[in-house]
Amino acid sequence: MALITAQEYLDSIEKLTPRVYVGGKWATNLLEHPVTRSMVLANAAIYSLAEDPQNQAVMTTVSHLTGQPINRNLHVARSIHDLDMRQEMALLTSQTVGTCNYRCVGCDAINGLAATTWEMDRDLGTKYNETFGKWLVHAQDKDLAVSGAITDAKGDRKKRPSQQEDLDVHVHLVEKRSDGIVVRGFKVSQSGAIGSHETLVLPGGALKEGEEDFALAFAVPNGAPGITYICQYNAYSAERELLCDETELGNPVYGQRETSTMVFDNVFIPWDRVFLCGETKYCGRLVSRFAKTHRMNCGGACKVGFADLIIGATMLAAEYNGVDKVPHVQEKIVDMVRLSETSHACAIAAAMRGREEPKGSGVFLPDDLFGNAAKLNIAHGFWEILKNAGDIGGGLVVTMPRLKDLEDPEVGPLLKKAFKSAAPAEKRLKVAKFLQHWAAGLHGAGTWHGAGAPQTQRFMISVLTDFDAKKKMAKKIMGMEDQ
Amino acid sequence: MALITAQEYLDSIEKLTPRVYVGGKWATNLLEHPVTRSMVLANAAIYSLAEDPQNQAVMTTVSHLTGQPINRNLHVARSIHDLDMRQEMALLTSQTVGTCNYRCVGCDAINGLAATTWEMDRDLGTKYNETFGKWLVHAQDKDLAVSGAITDAKGDRKKRPSQQEDLDVHVHLVEKRSDGIVVRGFKVSQSGAIGSHETLVLPGGALKEGEEDFALAFAVPNGAPGITYICQYNAYSAERELLCDETELGNPVYGQRETSTMVFDNVFIPWDRVFLCGETKYCGRLVSRFAKTHRMNCGGACKVGFADLIIGATMLAAEYNGVDKVPHVQEKIVDMVRLSETSHACAIAAAMRGREEPKGSGVFLPDDLFGNAAKLNIAHGFWEILKNAGDIGGGLVVTMPRLKDLEDPEVGPLLKKAFKSAAPAEKRLKVAKFLQHWAAGLHGAGTWHGAGAPQTQRFMISVLTDFDAKKKMAKKIMGMEDQ
Amino acid sequence: MALITAQEYLDSIEKLTPRVYVGGKWATNLLEHPVTRSMVLANAAIYSLAEDPQNQAVMTTVSHLTGQPINRNLHVARSIHDLDMRQEMALLTSQTVGTCNYRCVGCDAINGLAATTWEMDRDLGTKYNETFGKWLVHAQDKDLAVSGAITDAKGDRKKRPSQQEDLDVHVHLVEKRSDGIVVRGFKVSQSGAIGSHETLVLPGGALKEGEEDFALAFAVPNGAPGITYICQYNAYSAERELLCDETELGNPVYGQRETSTMVFDNVFIPWDRVFLCGETKYCGRLVSRFAKTHRMNCGGACKVGFADLIIGATMLAAEYNGVDKVPHVQEKIVDMVRLSETSHACAIAAAMRGREEPKGSGVFLPDDLFGNAAKLNIAHGFWEILKNAGDIGGGLVVTMPRLKDLEDPEVGPLLKKAFKSAAPAEKRLKVAKFLQHWAAGLHGAGTWHGAGAPQTQRFMISVLTDFDAKKKMAKKIMGMEDQ
Amino acid sequence: MALITAQEYLDSIEKLTPRVYVGGKWATNLLEHPVTRSMVLANAAIYSLAEDPQNQAVMTTVSHLTGQPINRNLHVARSIHDLDMRQEMALLTSQTVGTCNYRCVGCDAINGLAATTWEMDRDLGTKYNETFGKWLVHAQDKDLAVSGAITDAKGDRKKRPSQQEDLDVHVHLVEKRSDGIVVRGFKVSQSGAIGSHETLVLPGGALKEGEEDFALAFAVPNGAPGITYICQYNAYSAERELLCDETELGNPVYGQRETSTMVFDNVFIPWDRVFLCGETKYCGRLVSRFAKTHRMNCGGACKVGFADLIIGATMLAAEYNGVDKVPHVQEKIVDMVRLSETSHACAIAAAMRGREEPKGSGVFLPDDLFGNAAKLNIAHGFWEILKNAGDIGGGLVVTMPRLKDLEDPEVGPLLKKAFKSAAPAEKRLKVAKFLQHWAAGLHGAGTWHGAGAPQTQRFMISVLTDFDAKKKMAKKIMGMEDQ
């Protein structure tokens, strides 16, 4: 059976025993620790979405490998329509959980690998595509949650991987054996790796000759021997830990985006899970193929879904305060919509101008220029959206008491009197707490860096633009053709 | 034959004798007066484009009425692909002439009329669609240049049309006769009406009951009795008039965007050219259908073509000054690309999310939200692009002498010495003149107002957004469903 | 003695027993509860500053009432120099504590009251100025920490105070007695009221005839019978509560800006502490005088001090990552400086164009237009600064583990390896934690609303600008004088 | 007599016979050629201002050299008050002429020279300060119009002056004689040099050892043998030439900012007019002292005066169209005010934080950081102001006919009917023409480059900011002092 239920996912996770460290504790049960639990429940909600018939067109499709129905998170795009559905999936999942679809990076890694392993086999006569195909059939059959690991710890940004004092700041090859390879190093900022069945590990960027040890792509099951996950921990983690009742929180069930630093301490990877090993020349392409699909989805759809939630809550805040008809409030809400729909337009354009790459591979990738524009625009736009949410949400977003204080026998009645407006205090504070989660939370800076910081998109735009064509057009109209 | 050549167009225009007033003179020959000539040559260039086989997919198509090949400027979009080609045409024409495709407004008016006359006939049992269809076959068969007239003079913005002291500030009905109607009033800012074979006149906006006299849509041939065109006139007009040699100018051949005030002094329109008369209820829809296609094209493609020219010339300026590798110059050029490609993405998304409207009509219109986003983004973005062009172009863009001064026997050699940099003075000044035409010309404010000022797009966004859906999503994630 | 030490302040606070509720608990000792403690320590640091001889010109001055040296937080500005030193004090205190100078609002309330009580006495023959003067001498003599309470809970924003269903949403008069008045209601978002000796309560805005019961200004000691403080509580509060060691936190000692909702439950205020009672006509002026000095200080100096800290830390982050010489990093840091210095310039201009108001009162107030510009600019600028801090700080700002995890015997060594760059992991994480406090904290939205949301400043600019003068200038240059 | 009248200035100019080339003609009489005339009349208006007693505090002062009353344009600032009056003069002159005060650059050059010649004499034992003082007394006594020439033609931006193929792209020394020096080369973008009595020539930037021939500062009278002025020429020049009546134009009397390329063809400068010759080390300081006063004035006051005119005219346009009460119109006008007043605040802060430089010289220069902020802010802000002016001005700003067409017997009455709104067509078109001059003219790009392009100001901010102090503050608050 190629589609599992949310409950089946939860059951499967409960059986896992990875080494997960979160804020001073080892989380022995991912469903019990309040922080890891929020991540796992978000993933479960993504499984749920695929169970709902009205989401079928977006959330599911048919495997080109097996002809079986599969979750779109495990699909290799074979057409423009697939690309379009892919970004619509990113929109829907964000609107539903208000945090990562933790299967998203894995999905985009699958697409990058499908294209690049095909290309390597064609060019080099390797068998990577076949190996990868087998692994993918396995993942599709079991409807696995697959996360993706790209960002290395990097060390000193002025030095290449092989010049680093401590080579472990990049995941690298330790030993090549007959049955597989041994790897070590750090991958950082890994969204949802702790609650996934497998993680696809890709190189962190383009590599040069001589850097073969860093040229690695492979799949690794959660909790493979030698892997440790050290979770992020911040004020929002502490709040979730300290407050007993998750309904007290901004995003009650699904929480923040939870990431971890993945430590690979001489982890063994059998050959049937290795999809690139030493082919430095293909690392840049692999990463850029991953990035072009990820920027479309992350920048032009995922954050648009977040924006929808924020816009909706901001409208509620305006209504509850009795200011929804005030002109400047309406103008600001229009700006929020404009910013988010603009990035969505970039994602749609990226999908619609997508093409088969490499020719003959059957893999479709979105247009890179529009994908980069999607991410670059939302990086700036999301901060603007947060600014406007904080504006219209009002001072309450900053200075509100605890939600639970409303139930305190002494201060509760006072707070209910104090914060009643055009709606009861409970509603106003509930919405304020949600907006606080965004406008005073980690998503501004998180959106900036997710899928690569904007400077990367700027660089890509400078590389992808056909400046010669533009110069030629200008010369023609100026009558400078002969000069 | 349904496609004519540029020369055939020019020949046909030379035979026209409209009353055209330009800066104190009556232009008796449109090809002789340097200002009207630039407009006519721009139109000719659009005809030329359709002659070039490599542009065929974009510039031509097949009439759904006659099955004959036609120029896309006269086509009613019947599919998403048509919408996509329509916006690609807007891109190509702008890249080619650096000013209006003067057939563009007419094309979008044709699409608005095709949808709305169909709807009126369905609802009211009128014969407008049939009448319009016949006129359109005539236009397609002769490959006419058709301009569109929408904006009334408007008078006092605080009053409705019928409350104006002088009713002529809107085009209105004077008399309804058995053979046709008599109309009078002013349409302003009419791009290229002087060099078109016909003009489609639409109402200036939505109308209410009691305003039937302003509810008019019709086609009128250039120079019909009672029509006078009073042309715009500004510094750039004066420069074109004063300098004998058009190669001295920023956009040498095609000039600025040339518009006129069209005066209708009791003009007779026979019934076979009347497409709406008195049906106030359909005016808002007609205009909004026109607008949704025009904003996609104008905002998301036409101005992107201009931006391509400006970016190309800015790159040349940077190279000629020897600063093309300077980081901040490169960053600014990336911004120019980002701004223009973002609007292009909005146009593509508008086309791709287009749909049949009204259902059953066979007419396809683009998505309105993305179309409005395209225009709104470029309105702001174009000023940014001009700012960066002026920056990188350098002080020369502001303080340069006349191009012809380079040929003066005394000062020419001095200027050649003074302005030689990484390229000869001639090249630097030529590019500076082109950039001056943009950065110190009318296109910043023109782009702002063309296809409606941004405040209109903002209003449309507030109307088109499904806020209830967003509020519902937010409530669900907050756990507020039952409240 | 008119200046007390930080220790004397702390001793005096330890003796207080106000009813302070914070996140489900009653804080019986303000120095023990980790949240209230951070607020009190910030205030102590402000006292410390005045002890340092090198800060004397900024932090201290001489009372015009007693001729004794006093803390500038209790001074009425008597000259342009005083206004300049006032804003320099706001800069210095922010640079020192990275949170509120909790005596700041009180200081600006003192200045508003000094001007307005003088004016009322002149106009109405009241004795408010004399009463206020006596209270001020008392505050200066004891070097009291005085907070200011302006913002009412407000209720439904569409209704006037007297139309609210529950009158308590504004602080209002319950009873006027021979020995004083009885008041009740809510003041929200009160910065540092819990750790101040006294609070000056002002009306929340301009009032009309018939709203006399809301026209109140008075001083009330901390913990007066009937007062309850319900503290704000958010993720950062939880983090401070949960983690035992404050060095784990972003702003280790001084924390966030801590506010509370002040509940007045029939609080008795004797006449010698009442400075306005029923004079509705003077409420708008009083609040606007408070606001004009507060916007200068808050917008043009306090937030500039925060920006200095953020810029400094961002530079450190860039150095520790080895990217401080990268052009785009430098460009972004320049923008951070430009934004903050621009607001500082507005504060300086506001001080320098200050004037005596009302004439004869001896009280100097800053220029209002520049003060509003200071606040409006930083409201937007601060979000930009946060964006750039998050950019350069890197993904670590979002996804870092707990600082203390560095000391864990198992994961600590791993984290030290993973996060070493051009500097040790300890330094990088320390700076990332500090930047997280800002870029993922409450100060973006807080800066927006503090001293009034930007829409208020926009309104003030529309009111304060002499548009007639500008129209006249334009007419003159156009030669339209006679028209 | 140290102050002359406007008429005396005009008489003196009429006697001059410089070689002035403008758009293909040699202008034999500066008051007759319509383009040069506008420049001369603007200068005359500056002289007029000083005649008006109500401007005396701003426009005149007392010479510290002679004790006589002088025009402030010839004054060396000796106090903070002088700096403040200096920038207020820049505001007043811009509000009056809507173009350059053509004595402004000369004034700032005088201040740079006063400081730097004093320093050279102190350090090197030269007599430059004495020589300069004598020349200045002469200029003050005759109330000369003095322009300043800084920007060299520069050639290839990648090469130093001495590496250029053609050394003339910088003004340089040809011969040093006993009675003086001989110089040649080009200075470009020289505002108002044609209508000044003298021009102060400064080096174009900092110089290194070995570049002594380019290290030159001197005064040269208008029309000295060997000097040719080649004027800028653009569409606005053509319009002024072609239309007989200057009232037809946007800025009727004073026109655009008129500049020329100054050609020095072996011009002899006697020693009593040479103020620096070969002292490369002092060139950077001289230019930076000029720049720091010029950026304050140009960025923070001159353009603010322009903005006042544009804001005034925009308000008129809104009123004439009947839209002045529309919320979004008012919001945009508030933004125009905010942008311009923000830069003015920077100028005031620059003046107020000014200081004697070098110590002992008696010369006061403004604060550099605030001066650079003033220019940098207005460079961006001015484009925004133009955008908003074009928005509210409406389509008319782009598509209006000639003003004179209103008087045509045939079309005049039609235009009066068409363009009547809440005000007569004459008023609407007059204001539209004025706004066209700005929003579709050269001042956007001109403001960007005047006083140095923004990238220079950005560089200066990076140099002038005390980052170590900020890092130290941040470390202290983080508790990192010992690390």
Side-chain angles (χ1 to χ4, degrees), chain A residues 228-239:
Chain A
T228 303
Y229 306 87
I230 309 174
C231 292
Q232 71 177 37
Y233 199 91
N234 51 54
Y236 285 86
S237 324
E239 190 186 27

Side-chain angles (χ1 to χ4, degrees), chain D residues 98-300:
Chain D
T99 183
C100 258
N101 161 18
Y102 292 108
R103 303 173 76 181
C104 168
V105 176
C107 176
D108 295 342
I110 285 168
N111 279 267
L113 282 166
T116 309
T117 55
W118 184 92
E119 189 181 34
M120 285 194 289
D121 289 6
R122 184 196 64 187
D123 294 357
L124 312 173
T126 50
K127 296 281 180 202
Y128 288 131
N129 192 241
E130 196 185 314
T131 310
F132 176 68
K134 280 184 193 156
W135 174 85
L136 184 56
V137 166
H138 147 80
Q140 289 176 344
D141 279 353
K142 305 239 162 148
D143 200 5
L144 298 183
V146 178
S147 76
I150 290 93
T151 312
D152 292 288
K154 287 200 205 101
D156 188 336
R157 271 65 177 166
K158 288 190 298 292
K159 297 179 185 164
R160 299 286 315 167
S162 55
Q163 298 167 331
Q164 299 288 339
E165 216 174 294
D166 182 348
L167 292 183
D168 290 354
V169 294
H170 295 82
V171 167
H172 61 100
L173 185 73
V174 173
E175 193 189 351
K176 210 183 256 191
R177 298 181 354 198
S178 60
D179 52 350
I181 60 176
V182 177
V183 302
R184 65 181 289 116
F186 302 101
K187 289 281 184 184
V188 299
S189 305
Q190 298 311 309
S191 299
I194 56 170
S196 303
H197 301 105
E198 303 226 356
T199 294
L200 279 171
V201 178
L202 266 53
L207 292 169
K208 302 181 180 169
E209 240 179 292
E211 301 176 332
E212 284 71 18
D213 284 355
F214 306 95
L216 289 174
F218 56 85
V220 63
N222 189 338
I227 291 186
T228 303
Y229 305 87
I230 308 174
C231 291
Q232 71 177 37
Y233 198 90
N234 51 54
Y236 285 85
S237 322
E239 189 186 28
R240 189 165 285 271
E241 260 207 282
L242 186 67
L243 301 185
C244 313
D245 184 355
E246 72 187 17
T247 66
E248 298 299 297
L249 300 168
N251 185 348
V253 182
Y254 309 120
Q256 311 185 81
R257 189 173 60 130
E258 294 299 339
T259 72
S260 60
T261 297
M262 279 181 81
V263 184
F264 293 82
D265 183 10
N266 290 356
V267 176
F268 173 70
I269 313 291
W271 283 115
D272 58 5
R273 291 172 156 280
V274 177
F275 313 131
L276 183 151
C277 184
E279 293 81 0
T280 49
K281 186 179 150 192
Y282 292 85
C283 291
R285 291 183 213 179
L286 173 53
V287 173
S288 104
R289 281 164 186 158
F290 159 76
K292 76 172 70 172
T293 169
H294 197 51
R295 278 171 201 158
M296 170 182 78
N297 296 319
C298 172

Side-chain angles (χ1 to χ4, degrees), chain C residues 182-424:
Chain C
V182 177
V183 302
R184 65 180 290 114
F186 301 101
K187 289 282 184 183
V188 300
S189 304
Q190 298 311 309
S191 299
I194 55 170
S196 303
H197 301 105
E198 303 226 357
T199 294
L200 279 171
V201 177
L202 266 54
L207 292 169
K208 301 181 181 171
E209 239 179 293
E211 301 175 332
E212 285 72 16
D213 285 355
F214 306 95
L216 290 173
F218 57 85
V220 63
N222 190 337
I227 292 185
T228 302
Y229 306 86
I230 308 174
C231 290
Q232 71 178 35
Y233 197 91
N234 50 54
Y236 285 85
S237 322
E239 190 186 28
R240 189 165 285 270
E241 261 207 280
L242 185 66
L243 302 185
C244 313
D245 183 356
E246 71 186 17
T247 66
E248 297 299 296
L249 300 167
N251 185 348
V253 182
Y254 309 120
Q256 312 185 79
R257 188 173 60 129
E258 293 299 338
T259 72
S260 60
T261 297
M262 278 180 82
V263 184
F264 293 81
D265 184 10
N266 291 356
V267 176
F268 173 71
I269 313 291
W271 284 115
D272 59 4
R273 290 172 157 279
V274 177
F275 313 131
L276 184 151
C277 184
E279 293 80 1
T280 49
K281 185 178 151 192
Y282 293 85
C283 291
R285 290 183 214 178
L286 172 53
V287 173
S288 104
R289 281 163 186 158
F290 160 76
K292 79 172 67 173
T293 169
H294 198 49
R295 279 174 200 155
M296 169 182 80
N297 296 319
C298 173
C302 164
K303 269 53 183 182
V304 176
F306 290 175
D308 285 338
L309 293 169
I310 297 169
I311 294 166
T314 302
M315 288 286 281
L316 290 172
E319 289 170 14
Y320 295 167
N321 284 338
V323 298
D324 49 313
K325 303 290 180 226
V326 174
H328 79 88
V329 169
Q330 293 185 322
E331 290 281 329
K332 282 162 188 160
I333 287 173
V334 164
D335 271 321
M336 296 167 86
V337 174
R338 174 183 63 81
L339 290 162
S340 89
E341 292 300 334
T342 293
S343 273
H344 196 201
C346 293
I348 294 172
M352 290 304 166
R353 292 293 190 259
R355 46 201 167 270
E356 195 186 24
E357 178 188 336
K359 273 280 165 215
S361 67
V363 182
F364 269 65
L365 296 173
D367 180 81
D368 213 0
L369 188 55
F370 290 129
N372 277 284
K375 173 67 214 313
L376 183 50
N377 282 322
I378 207 67
H380 290 271
F382 207 74
W383 279 108
E384 289 295 309
I385 288 168
L386 296 180
K387 180 170 84 175
N388 287 359
D391 176 352
I392 300 169
L396 207 53
V397 169
V398 184
T399 63
M400 66 180 291
R402 223 172 44 150
L403 278 185
K404 211 181 190 68
D405 294 346
L406 283 164
E407 297 162 25
D408 182 271
E410 266 185 291
V411 310
L414 296 170
L415 292 173
K416 285 179 190 169
K417 271 171 71 74
F419 294 114
K420 187 167 182 294
S421 177

